[in-house]
Amino acid sequence: QMTVEEFLTQYATGERNFAGINLSEANLSGANLSGVNFKAANLSIANLSGANLSGANLSSAKLNVAKLSGANLSGANLNGAILNVANLVRADLGGAFLMKAALIRAELIRAELSDANLSGANLSGADLVEARLRMANLSEANLSEANLKGALLTGANLEGANLHGADLSLADLSGADLRNTELRQVSLGLANLSGADLSGANLRWADLSGVNLSWADLSEAKLSGANLSAADLSYANLLNTSLVHADLSGANLSRVDWIGADLTGANLTGAKLYAVSRFGLKTEGIICEWVDLSQKGDRTLIYRFSEEEAKKFFHQTLP
């Protein structure tokens, strides 16, 4: 086994190929190792905090419980690398390749992951509080039980990802691709999902109260039992969306397109319904004491009705 000193000496003389090297538990904090080839290397429990590993090849490397806080891994190749329980707090992984990497329970608080490719990666239970994931590719990634509170995911690709039980409160998901994403039991309090594509997503029983979903695409999405109270759904696409027993009380539904939506047993009391079509909906057992039909949603045009009137209101004949 090569010692740390021997390794650093060889790197200093221009050698870059250290594929398969065993440097477990080595202390390389603050070292400049840009462009190094650590393919399939064993760096478990190594201290690489503050190290410069930009453009490094760490594909299939073992980095379990490694210390990488503040490390520069921008543009690095970490495809298939094992980083379970690794410390990557404030690490720079911008534009890095992490396809099918294992990051179970990894610490990625405030890490920079913009433009990174994490498709198929396993991030279950990972801590990504306030991490930056702008335009990151997380398609088919496993993010179950991950903490993404306050994370920046604008324009990120989460198609087919598993976010079951994840915390996305205060996260910015505007313009994100969440097609066919698993979002059961996800906490989305105060998240921004404006313009996001959630078509076909599973949001059963999700808490979306007060969430910004304006201009979002929720067509064919499963929202039965979801809490959408006071949510902003203005201009959203709700074609053929399942909203069975959903709570839409006080929600802004102005100008939504919801033909074919299933609102069986849903609560629409106090919803803003300006310029909304009232045919082609399933509304059996709907709860609706009054709605706000004013253009600005300022309650200047309140419409109250009995159960029978509510049924008629939502069953206009086609114009």
Side-chain angles (χ1 to χ4, degrees):
Q1 183 177 335
M2 194 183 290
T3 65
V4 174
E5 288 71 28
E6 287 167 343
F7 159 70
L8 288 172
T9 304
Q10 286 193 27
Y11 182 91
T13 60
E15 179 61 56
R16 292 293 176 266
N17 186 11
F18 298 95
I21 192 172
N22 182 1
L23 286 167
S24 60
E25 298 186 46
N27 182 4
L28 292 159
S29 62
N32 178 13
L33 303 167
S34 64
V36 72
N37 180 3
F38 272 153
K39 186 179 178 174
N42 182 1
L43 294 153
S44 296
I45 324 178
N47 183 357
L48 290 151
S49 51
N52 179 4
L53 289 152
S54 58
N57 181 359
L58 289 147
S59 57
S60 305
K62 286 191 184 77
L63 289 146
N64 288 315
V65 205
K67 286 194 184 90
L68 289 149
S69 52
N72 180 358
L73 289 149
S74 57
N77 178 356
L78 290 141
N79 290 337
I82 301 164
L83 293 136
N84 297 331
V85 204
N87 180 348
L88 290 144
V89 176
R90 292 182 189 267
D92 183 356
L93 290 143
F97 299 89
L98 292 136
M99 288 164 75
K100 293 199 162 74
L103 290 143
I104 299 165
R105 296 203 355 256
E107 289 178 74
L108 288 147
I109 301 161
R110 295 200 174 168
E112 175 61 76
L113 288 149
S114 298
D115 297 307
N117 187 344
L118 290 138
S119 63
N122 187 348
L123 290 141
S124 61
D127 191 345
L128 289 142
V129 170
E130 291 181 16
R132 288 185 289 277
L133 290 142
R134 277 194 197 94
M135 309 298 289
N137 182 355
L138 290 148
S139 58
E140 308 291 333
N142 180 359
L143 288 148
S144 57
E145 309 292 335
N147 186 353
L148 288 144
K149 197 170 187 170
L152 216 57
L153 289 144
T154 45
N157 177 3
L158 288 143
E159 189 182 356
N162 177 7
L163 285 145
H164 181 236
D167 186 352
L168 283 159
S169 51
L170 297 168
D172 187 347
L173 290 143
S174 51
D177 182 352
L178 291 145
R179 284 177 294 173
N180 302 313
T181 300
E182 176 59 69
L183 290 156
R184 268 178 314 146
Q185 279 143 6
V186 164
S187 158
L188 284 152
L190 299 177
N192 181 1
L193 285 152
S194 63
D197 187 347
L198 290 140
S199 52
N202 184 359
L203 284 147
R204 287 190 184 96
W205 304 103
D207 184 0
L208 291 148
S209 52
V211 168
N212 181 357
L213 285 151
S214 58
W215 298 96
D217 185 350
L218 288 149
S219 56
E220 312 271 345
K222 301 164 194 80
L223 283 150
S224 47
N227 180 0
L228 288 148
S229 58
D232 183 358
L233 288 148
S234 54
Y235 297 93
N237 176 354
L238 295 168
L239 292 170
N240 300 321
T241 302
S242 168
L243 290 151
V244 179
H245 291 295
D247 183 356
L248 288 151
S249 57
N252 183 356
L253 292 155
S254 300
R255 298 188 189 273
V256 296
D257 194 351
W258 62 355
I259 289 168
D262 188 347
L263 292 152
T264 308
N267 182 353
L268 280 150
T269 297
K272 298 174 171 62
L273 289 170
Y274 176 74
V276 170
S277 64
R278 306 209 293 268
F279 52 85
L281 301 167
K282 283 190 194 162
T283 54
E284 288 76 27
I286 201 165
I287 301 160
C288 192
E289 291 162 34
W290 61 276
V291 292
D292 179 354
L293 296 175
S294 60
Q295 186 169 351
K296 289 180 178 162
D298 54 11
R299 303 195 181 186
T300 48
L301 184 54
I302 295 272
Y303 199 93
R304 297 183 187 274
F305 23 50
S306 65
E307 258 178 74
E308 279 310 301
E309 287 167 336
K311 273 185 198 145
K312 282 190 193 125
F313 179 83
F314 288 105
H315 277 280
Q316 275 185 326
T317 46
L318 281 164

